[in-house]
Amino acid sequence: SIDLKPALDKKFEEFYKAYHDAGVPIGVYYFTLAYTNAMVEKETDWVLKNIKDKHLELPVWIDVEGQTHCAGWTNLGKAERSRLVAKWCAKIQKAGYYTGIYANLDWLKNKLDANVIAPYDKWVAQYYSKCTYNKPYGMWQYTSSECASAHGITSGSNGVDASWAYIDYPTVIK
């Protein structure tokens, strides 16, 4: 078993402050590797500790994808992976946050059980002209190469992820 230690993005505080000060709604996402109940507890405790003083108007998302360096997570069966993702979301929600699941179309359709994760919003990553996920979703990430500059933060030559929100999360969360 490997000991996976959660880590805060190096730019998290800087970006949070810049966007908060500019009045831009903020949410967070956490890239999970939890493949046991104990790891879910460790991750959610860590996330809750790091967002407790933050004003969030967008959901706290669990980022669900395959990781070659974490076979324990990637090799889980669909039922167990879905149970752990739902457990993660339930704990974040119980702490008073709006939560949801970020994943690409393949993971949402083939690697997670839609019935188990149904209570939580989905943020679908599908770089295409339209989102073809056939279940309810609240956001769609349509590209990773959008050029952006806002509130003193520039995307650089690599671009940024861009998404459409179909739910007015700031109003719902308020």
Side-chain angles (χ1 to χ4, degrees):
S1 163
I2 56 177
D3 185 25
L4 301 170
K5 293 184 177 24
L8 198 61
D9 184 285
K10 292 175 184 140
K11 297 279 192 170
F12 178 76
E13 293 296 339
E14 175 187 338
F15 287 173
Y16 175 83
K17 181 175 181 355
Y19 283 102
H20 179 269
D21 291 353
V24 175
I26 299 170
V28 298
Y29 75 87
Y30 181 83
F31 196 90
T32 189
L33 295 174
Y35 56 90
T36 67
N37 287 328
M39 292 171 85
V40 167
E41 291 298 318
K42 181 178 180 178
E43 282 186 1
T44 51
D45 286 347
W46 184 87
V47 167
L48 292 169
K49 180 182 120 199
N50 280 281
I51 64 174
K52 71 178 173 160
D53 296 325
K54 305 295 186 224
H55 178 74
L56 302 179
E57 293 181 291
L58 297 174
V60 176
W61 300 96
I62 181 174
D63 184 345
V64 180
E65 301 175 70
Q67 289 304 310
T68 56
H69 65 280
C70 186
W73 164 249
T74 302
N75 294 333
L76 282 177
K78 184 176 186 175
E80 182 63 5
R81 184 182 301 116
S82 301
R83 185 189 69 73
L84 291 171
V85 168
K87 179 181 180 72
W88 197 100
C89 288
K91 184 166 176 185
I92 297 294
Q93 186 174 25
K94 185 176 180 182
Y97 295 93
Y98 197 109
T99 188
I101 300 158
Y102 169 91
N104 66 44
L105 184 66
D106 176 56
W107 273 70
L108 286 168
K109 287 173 65 175
N110 303 311
K111 301 194 180 352
L112 293 170
D113 183 328
N115 294 321
V116 174
I117 63 170
Y120 308 103
D121 280 359
K122 313 309 174 295
W123 179 6
V124 183
Q126 182 185 16
Y127 302 161
Y128 192 59
S129 59
K130 64 181 180 176
C131 183
T132 61
Y133 185 56
N134 62 358
K135 305 277 187 221
Y137 58 94
M139 287 179 56
W140 167 42
Q141 183 181 76
Y142 61 89
T143 185
S144 64
S145 58
E146 188 86 1
C147 233
S149 179
H151 311 292
I153 298 171
T154 303
S155 66
S157 60
N158 294 332
V160 295
D161 297 341
S163 301
W164 290 107
Y166 300 101
I167 294 173
D168 181 358
Y169 287 112
T171 299
V172 171
I173 289 171
K174 194 179 290 184

